[in-house]
Amino acid sequence: MAKLIVADDHPLFRNALIHAISNTFVTKATIETDSFEATCEALLQHPDADLLLLDLHMPGNCGFLGLIQLRKQYPTLPIVVISASDDLDVIKRVMAFGASAFIPKSSHPAEIGKALSAVIDGELWVPQAIYSQVMNQHQHQPDLDLAAKVAELTPQQYKVLFYLTEGWLNKQIAYDLHISEATVKAHITAIFRKLGVTNRTQVVIQAQRLQLEAPADKTLIAQ
């Protein structure tokens, strides 16, 4: 039996997913989160979690950046990305950035159970129809290089980076994170150094390479 963390900000989909999992996959506990910050807290509180099911479009998450950060912080935890996107490039990047599986949100419950069982057994999983296209092609090297740089950010620096992509001012970031503006500036300086840039505009441009388009309406799990 596995302990799962289900991270998705849409309650209806989260409930549908948990229902689908319970019908096809044996679990001992399921923890729900609705933001990237809550997901990080759940991972700290449940170090024995066996799987993380992650929606890339969550408050506090910045496209692939959250996946990259979590992969760095929890290198042995299988991360399963569940997404409404069926874009082949998105799926390739998800797997290249360290996910153990990509499950479309339109998947049948039996397919979800099969995917989770494969991941628990140490395998990688994507839909069979696109397996060879995803697994047999190399990811664009500059993206992997950027991902490696992002992985060097501390959790607090990641939060500051997220706020920079949202256009926040230093004083707004300081207020929300309960830190001084001087500390924010220090984090930004560290971000510049780790990403190899010299100003905020360049940071945002780099981050945009690892962002996603706004999600379409959530698709409920097939019944």
Side-chain angles (χ1 to χ4, degrees):
M1 293 191 293
K3 176 186 277 192
L4 310 185
I5 297 176
V6 179
D8 191 290
D9 64 317
H10 193 284
L12 274 179
F13 175 77
R14 204 166 58 237
N15 291 338
L17 176 59
I18 291 170
H19 178 71
I21 292 171
S22 67
N23 285 339
T24 58
F25 187 79
V26 180
T27 63
K28 60 183 175 184
T30 302
I31 298 93
E32 301 179 46
T33 64
D34 60 3
S35 70
F36 188 76
E37 183 175 3
T39 302
C40 293
E41 291 175 358
L43 287 167
L44 286 173
Q45 294 170 8
H46 301 277
D48 59 336
D50 298 294
L51 276 176
L52 168 63
L53 284 76
L54 178 69
D55 177 19
L56 297 179
H57 293 287
M58 294 180 71
N61 189 22
C62 194
F64 300 106
L65 295 175
L67 170 61
I68 293 165
Q69 271 285 301
L70 293 174
R71 179 74 293 146
K72 174 210 171 185
Q73 293 174 40
Y74 302 95
T76 62
L77 175 69
I79 300 176
V80 175
V81 170
I82 298 192
S83 175
S85 173
D86 59 0
D87 186 290
L88 189 59
D89 181 63
V90 169
I91 300 171
K92 289 178 182 177
R93 297 173 90 190
V94 160
M95 300 305 291
F97 294 147
S100 296
F102 180 95
I103 303 177
K105 287 192 171 180
S106 57
S107 298
H108 189 277
E111 192 79 347
I112 295 173
K114 184 189 304 183
L116 298 185
S117 295
V119 172
I120 286 291
D121 289 340
E123 300 174 20
L124 299 178
W125 192 94
V126 295
Q128 189 62 40
I130 58 172
Y131 186 90
S132 61
Q133 294 171 277
V134 173
M135 298 303 189
N136 297 335
Q137 294 194 24
H138 296 294
Q139 179 62 27
H140 192 43
Q141 190 59 42
D143 281 350
L144 295 178
D145 292 342
L146 177 57
K149 293 177 181 178
V150 169
E152 292 303 311
L153 300 179
T154 66
Q156 193 80 323
Q157 289 165 2
Y158 170 79
K159 291 178 183 178
V160 173
L161 174 61
F162 172 76
Y163 288 133
L164 291 177
T165 65
E166 296 290 302
W168 285 33
L169 301 174
N170 287 4
K171 63 181 180 181
Q172 293 174 302
I173 299 173
Y175 179 81
D176 200 69
L177 295 181
H178 307 291
I179 57 179
S180 69
E181 286 190 54
T183 301
V184 172
K185 290 178 182 178
H187 284 319
I188 291 174
T189 298
I191 292 169
F192 286 179
R193 175 174 52 80
K194 291 179 179 180
L195 297 190
V197 300
T198 58
N199 58 58
R200 296 167 80 109
T201 300
Q202 291 175 350
V203 166
V204 173
I205 290 172
Q206 290 286 75
Q208 284 175 342
R209 288 170 49 191
L210 298 178
Q211 288 180 319
L212 295 165
E213 295 180 2
D217 290 339
K218 303 274 185 176
T219 302
L220 290 181
I221 294 293
Q223 299 301 312

